[in-house]
Amino acid sequence: MASSSSSGLTFKLHPLVIVNISDHYTRVKSQMNPPPLTSTSATVNGVEHQQQAPRVYGCVIGVQRGRTVEIFNSFELLYDPSTHSLDRPFLEKKQELYKKVFPHFYILGWYSTGSDAQESDMHIHKALMDINESPLYVLLNPTINPAQKDLPVTIYESELHVIDGIPQLIFVCSSYTIETVEAERISVDHVAHLKPSDGGSAATQLAAHLTGIHSAIKMLNSRIRVLHHYLVGMQKGDIPCENSLLRQVSSLLRRLPAIESEKFQDDFLMEYNDTLLITYLAMFTNCSSTMNELVDKFNTAYDRHSRRGGRTAFI
Amino acid sequence: MNSVEGLVTQIQGLSSSASDVLSLHNVLKQADDSLHAESTRLLPFLDQLDPSKHSLGYLYFLEACTAGPVTTESASSFVLIIARFITSCAADQIRLAPDKFISVCKRLKDQVLFLEEPLRAVAPMLSAIRKLQSSTENLTTLHPEFLLLCLLAKCYKTGLSILEEDIFEVDQPRDLYLYCYYGGMICIGKKCFRKALELLHNVVTAPMSTINAIAVEAYKKYILVSLIHHGQFSTSLPKYASTVAQRNLKSFCQPYIELANSYTSGKITDLETYVHENMEKFGSDNNLGLVKQVVSSIYKRNIQRLTQTYLTLSLQDIASTVQLNSPKEAEMHVLQMIQDGEIYATINQKDGMVRFLEDPEQYKTCEMIERIDSSIQRLMTLSKKLTVLDELMSSDPMYLGKVGRERQRFDFDDFDSVPQRFNI
């Protein structure tokens, strides 16, 4: 549509919205029968079947404080092809329900999927203008492009531009940032690690997981070492004593152990023992295989009456 | 006379620093024959030498003194002298002449055996081992002598302490066979059947080019201990046993293998009749005690088999299934097994019911963590040693020669001609 917006609003998008839209789209697509082809239409039995990826629609809700618009959540809506707009009574009912749970959230706009904004979208956009005078249009591009690095999400605003002497509403892109809450970070992390981009097996996933833990522990260790070094210096008298820092260190140390109950000890020790046993088993297997090879070699070399005939592997 | 006196002064003079000791060693080696010629008169000269400072010289003198035949008077005095020498000698000096030291210690053993007081030599022999070993992983010729003394003196605990160490280097194969055999016997004496089985297994599967008597005796005991400990015995030896052993051992131990067969059938009466028939054979091998333990262990085996079928059982039923005479005997057996930790059960005295329980080990304790951790550490050191050995073996010319010979002349991925023999 058009280049960039000039409204001066800053947009903050929460990952929950992206996950919701993506989930909606995936669900509808997988429930379709027969499944749609990728992008082009196919010719079956001489009749052209347009099997395009379905478009899903919904509303986005959030908070607008001054010049910052923060999009927190979204819900789904059905597209009514007769009126070429979204199902209005349903929207209002949903809006009431959400108002009860989140009194601060307003309807900020709507979302859809597709590769680009289309002319018909303006219709829906105008229909929403009575709820919010300047609604947003969040567009998610569901085609997977492995070369693309950024998120395939664009936020459009509507602006009144004069084209050919006629003032028209057109869509203009706006930039946005992703904003996360703690809970969202955990789930995004979880989703991100579930499906590795190269479709790696369980072994690579485990290795990646363990490498992550290893680097985390290494960083923790180096930081504690810095603190320790500092405290030793302070004890020796090389560094002047700073009470505020000491208080902070002491409070940090008092945060662990976090749980002290006996049930925790039991479970913790049991799990620790399990891990140790698995390591022991792995070492055992490793050692046994080395020993096996050694014995084979020894038998070949030194046993006078070893089996003749048949080729042994040249190691 | 002069030469001996001169030698004494030389020893006294040259025993201070390491280089002096080396030159002294050369002098002594040359003077060895003359010392042996005058062996009877050397005893008074020993008093002039200090065993802790002049260890090497003292050793040579002592070895020459004790070279003669053993008599009662000489034996008692020599035992004292040798024992004192061993406890006070300097380890680095005697390591220069290890065979002399070993022969002196063997003479000590002969003398205490002659006097029939093996206990006197146990402690000196232990310190002798410690001084002769280059590291705790080294097996010296003194190890089996020490274990033999422990066996004869019946002090098994000291013997066990030596057996705890892992051995990685062996000087002579005969040492290993004897060490493991005696070690196995000591463990049987202390009723640690697991370690005994391990040691006897080592003898039976050790590399050997011809069958030897030690391996045959060890195999007999191995069968019996395996029956006591595991309740079963398989006649096939693992593939790392030498082919000589795999082929020939069984033919020497036929009565024992038949004993094992009748044991596994589970019928106590058959077992007892068989034992009774072959009593002299077992007795001549000095294995009668072990065989009796095998017979008593069959009851234990049968009771253990019951735990897999029943959850609770009355003492009367146990007695009848296991073919014991009375419920009282059954109760005694079960109690003994609970005490030894072989089964987990509770006996209800009121109605004479025994309830079999699961292993209560929850693997949640810190002690278990330490046990597993130490095992892992041991495995890690072992694994490193194994990889080193593996690499050594791969570059061994004998191995390369044999493998190269069997290889196809032209491999399909390289067309270099492979030499049929490695000329090294």
Side-chain angles (χ1 to χ4, degrees):
Chain A
M1 287 283 147
S3 43
S4 54
S5 90
S6 50
S7 62
L9 291 172
T10 18
F11 295 104
K12 289 191 180 160
L13 185 63
H14 277 250
L16 177 60
V17 180
I18 307 176
V19 173
N20 275 347
I21 305 178
S22 151
D23 176 59
H24 186 194
Y25 171 75
T26 321
R27 236 185 311 123
V28 172
K29 187 167 126 178
S30 42
Q31 280 166 2
M32 272 179 64
N33 195 10
L37 298 166
T38 42
S39 46
T40 54
S41 51
T43 314
V44 181
N45 294 337
V47 180
E48 232 178 35
H49 283 264
Q50 287 268 354
Q51 288 278 9
Q52 282 170 338
R55 287 195 78 186
V56 297
Y57 302 87
C59 257
V60 290
I61 60 179
V63 175
Q64 177 162 6
R65 296 192 194 94
R67 309 298 289 171
T68 323
V69 181
E70 204 165 340
I71 310 173
F72 276 99
N73 207 344
S74 65
F75 57 85
E76 306 164 15
L77 288 174
L78 275 177
Y79 180 64
D80 194 0
S82 52
T83 58
H84 289 288
S85 68
L86 301 173
D87 189 357
R88 198 50 189 248
F90 182 70
L91 189 149
E92 277 164 5
K93 201 165 61 163
K94 270 295 230 209
Q95 187 184 12
E96 261 180 60
L97 287 174
Y98 269 93
K99 257 304 188 205
K100 287 194 193 141
V101 186
F102 302 110
H104 297 292
F105 287 2
Y106 291 98
I107 293 194
L108 294 175
W110 62 293
Y111 71 76
S112 180
T113 54
S115 48
D116 212 352
Q118 293 171 5
E119 295 290 339
S120 51
D121 295 343
M122 190 47 86
H123 206 87
I124 307 172
H125 202 84
K126 285 190 186 148
L128 271 180
M129 275 188 171
D130 56 347
I131 305 179
N132 186 334
E133 62 269 6
S134 166
L136 302 171
Y137 175 32
V138 180
L139 181 69
L140 173 81
N141 188 354
T143 50
I144 301 173
N145 187 359
Q148 189 182 19
K149 293 285 183 190
D150 346 314
L151 282 174
V153 175
T154 17
I155 297 189
Y156 292 107
E157 278 188 290
S158 58
E159 273 187 358
L160 209 52
H161 277 221
V162 179
I163 302 173
D164 307 328
I166 314 168
Q168 271 186 350
L169 274 177
I170 55 168
F171 285 123
V172 292
C173 288
S174 329
S175 62
Y176 61 92
T177 52
I178 302 280
E179 177 98 359
T180 40
V181 185
E182 279 298 313
E184 286 175 316
R185 195 170 51 76
I186 297 173
S187 56
V188 168
D189 221 30
H190 194 69
V191 168
H193 285 151
L194 256 186
K195 177 124 182 58
S197 49
D198 56 343
S201 65
T204 51
Q205 273 186 29
L206 178 68
H209 177 247
L210 287 177
T211 335
I213 292 187
H214 176 249
S215 43
I217 293 181
K218 205 162 73 166
M219 187 153 61
L220 180 69
N221 189 21
S222 64
R223 288 189 184 172
I224 292 182
R225 213 183 287 273
V226 165
L227 274 179
H228 180 246
H229 198 73
Y230 183 76
L231 287 173
V232 163
M234 221 192 263
Q235 192 183 39
K236 276 198 276 192
D238 305 331
I239 310 172
C241 220
E242 261 195 69
N243 280 320
S244 61
L245 263 163
L246 284 178
R247 276 198 294 273
Q248 283 183 0
V249 172
S250 141
S251 76
L252 176 74
L253 289 176
R254 262 183 258 273
R255 284 162 98 185
L256 280 180
I259 316 178
E260 200 51 73
S261 73
E262 195 183 304
K263 176 99 179 33
F264 171 72
Q265 272 295 91
D266 276 349
D267 288 343
F268 173 67
L269 282 175
M270 194 144 43
E271 199 160 321
Y272 191 91
N273 267 324
D274 286 342
T275 324
L276 271 185
L277 273 171
I278 302 273
T279 322
Y280 190 41
L281 183 66
M283 286 238 61
F284 234 111
T285 321
N286 195 14
C287 214
S288 314
S289 94
T290 326
M291 179 122 44
N292 189 32
E293 286 183 18
L294 178 65
V295 165
D296 277 339
K297 290 190 186 138
F298 187 81
N299 277 343
T300 337
Y302 287 104
D303 222 358
R304 221 185 283 162
H305 311 284
S306 62
R307 286 179 292 121
R308 298 211 174 241
R311 251 177 287 123
T312 57
F314 183 66
I315 303 162
Chain B
M1 197 51 137
N2 278 338
S3 56
V4 178
E5 300 237 307
L7 215 47
V8 171
T9 36
Q10 267 192 316
I11 292 172
Q12 284 168 337
L14 285 174
S15 292
S16 35
S17 71
S19 46
D20 285 345
V21 172
L22 280 173
S23 47
L24 176 63
H25 191 206
N26 292 330
V27 168
L28 284 171
K29 271 197 277 203
Q30 287 158 359
D32 197 29
D33 298 325
S34 57
L35 275 180
H36 272 269
E38 313 204 18
S39 57
T40 43
R41 296 179 306 109
L42 288 177
L43 200 50
F45 288 103
L46 281 177
D47 301 325
Q48 298 179 16
L49 295 172
D50 180 11
S52 51
K53 282 194 285 202
H54 315 129
S55 306
L56 193 57
Y58 202 99
L59 177 64
Y60 269 82
F61 268 70
L62 196 55
E63 204 260 328
C65 279
T66 51
V70 178
T71 60
T72 334
E73 336 74 50
S74 64
S76 32
S77 55
F78 275 137
V79 164
L80 274 173
I81 298 176
I82 300 180
R84 220 169 354 118
F85 167 63
I86 294 178
T87 36
S88 52
C89 69
D92 42 352
Q93 287 198 20
I94 55 155
R95 278 199 204 138
L96 292 172
D99 16 300
K100 294 253 177 235
F101 188 67
I102 290 175
S103 59
V104 165
C105 295
K106 282 200 180 153
R107 303 248 175 77
L108 172 67
K109 179 196 88 174
D110 295 332
Q111 283 160 3
V112 295
L113 287 180
F114 185 79
L115 291 174
E116 293 183 2
E117 294 170 3
L119 195 53
R120 286 172 74 176
V122 169
M125 196 63 94
L126 183 57
S127 51
I129 290 181
R130 291 274 173 251
K131 293 201 175 147
L132 190 58
Q133 270 183 327
S134 49
S135 72
T136 49
E137 302 167 354
N138 193 12
L139 186 73
T140 62
T141 327
L142 292 178
H143 278 86
E145 313 286 336
F146 171 70
L147 287 180
L148 178 62
L149 284 170
C150 286
L151 266 176
L152 291 170
K154 296 217 191 320
C155 49
Y156 297 137
K157 221 162 68 163
T158 1
L160 264 185
S161 63
I162 275 275
L163 286 170
E164 297 287 327
E165 300 165 356
D166 298 322
I167 302 285
F168 284 110
E169 301 159 17
V170 177
D171 293 334
Q172 287 269 343
R174 188 162 169 272
D175 298 338
L176 180 70
Y177 300 147
L178 278 175
Y179 173 78
C180 290
Y181 180 62
Y182 291 142
M185 284 170 70
I186 287 184
C187 290
I188 294 175
K190 282 293 268 186
K191 301 236 187 298
C192 317
F193 289 115
R194 194 187 61 83
K195 193 150 177 75
L197 203 59
E198 204 180 291
L199 286 165
L200 290 171
H201 186 82
N202 277 343
V203 187
V204 168
T205 55
M208 51 180 99
S209 44
T210 51
I211 198 92
N212 56 37
I214 307 174
V216 172
E217 293 303 314
Y219 193 60
K220 293 178 186 165
K221 291 202 166 58
Y222 178 68
I223 298 178
L224 294 173
V225 174
S226 163
L227 285 177
I228 296 177
H229 188 66
H230 285 310
Q232 60 196 14
F233 172 73
S234 71
T235 46
S236 61
L237 286 174
K239 74 168 177 185
Y240 49 83
S242 59
T243 42
V244 208
Q246 278 175 2
R247 282 193 211 154
N248 300 327
L249 271 180
K250 281 178 262 198
S251 45
F252 287 102
C253 310
Q254 208 46 44
Y256 293 84
I257 297 189
E258 309 221 331
L259 178 73
N261 288 337
S262 69
Y263 183 97
T264 41
S265 70
K267 298 209 181 37
I268 301 181
T269 40
D270 291 350
L271 186 68
E272 285 180 347
T273 36
Y274 183 77
V275 168
H276 206 72
E277 286 164 16
N278 296 306
M279 197 82 89
E280 333 79 49
K281 261 190 253 171
F282 295 141
S284 62
D285 292 331
N286 286 329
N287 282 333
L288 208 49
L290 259 182
V291 171
K292 291 206 176 114
Q293 286 190 35
V294 169
V295 174
S296 64
S297 80
I298 199 169
Y299 294 110
K300 277 196 225 167
R301 202 61 51 197
N302 288 341
I303 295 180
Q304 265 180 342
R305 231 175 274 171
L306 284 176
T307 63
Q308 289 172 348
T309 336
Y310 295 96
L311 269 181
T312 59
L313 202 55
S314 70
L315 284 170
Q316 180 65 41
D317 286 333
I318 294 183
S320 50
T321 340
V322 179
Q323 294 159 37
L324 282 169
N325 292 329
S326 70
K328 264 280 160 238
E329 266 190 46
E331 187 177 343
M332 260 174 35
H333 265 104
V334 173
L335 258 177
Q336 186 61 41
M337 285 174 76
I338 297 177
Q339 231 175 354
D340 293 335
E342 289 164 11
I343 60 172
Y344 303 101
T346 48
I347 305 181
N348 191 339
Q349 293 268 343
K350 266 199 294 185
D351 49 9
M353 296 294 289
V354 179
R355 252 193 41 215
F356 298 120
L357 306 165
E358 293 271 327
D359 181 5
E361 176 60 63
Q362 288 278 351
Y363 294 98
K364 302 200 261 203
T365 54
C366 288
E367 295 84 34
M368 186 54 77
I369 292 183
E370 280 170 27
R371 252 183 75 186
I372 303 181
D373 201 39
S374 60
S375 307
I376 293 182
Q377 301 285 353
R378 267 183 73 193
L379 251 192
M380 277 166 63
T381 41
L382 180 64
S383 180
K384 282 193 195 118
K385 288 210 160 72
L386 272 181
T387 13
V388 166
L389 264 183
D390 197 28
E391 282 169 24
L392 262 180
M393 199 73 208
S394 312
S395 45
D396 189 329
M398 283 209 62
Y399 169 72
L400 290 171
K402 288 227 176 122
V403 170
R405 202 175 298 149
E406 291 184 19
R407 192 178 163 197
Q408 203 182 16
R409 197 173 165 89
F410 284 100
D411 232 348
F412 33 82
D413 42 33
D414 64 25
F415 273 79
D416 305 307
S417 63
V418 176
Q420 293 287 53
R421 272 178 50 197
F422 278 75
N423 295 323
I424 297 174

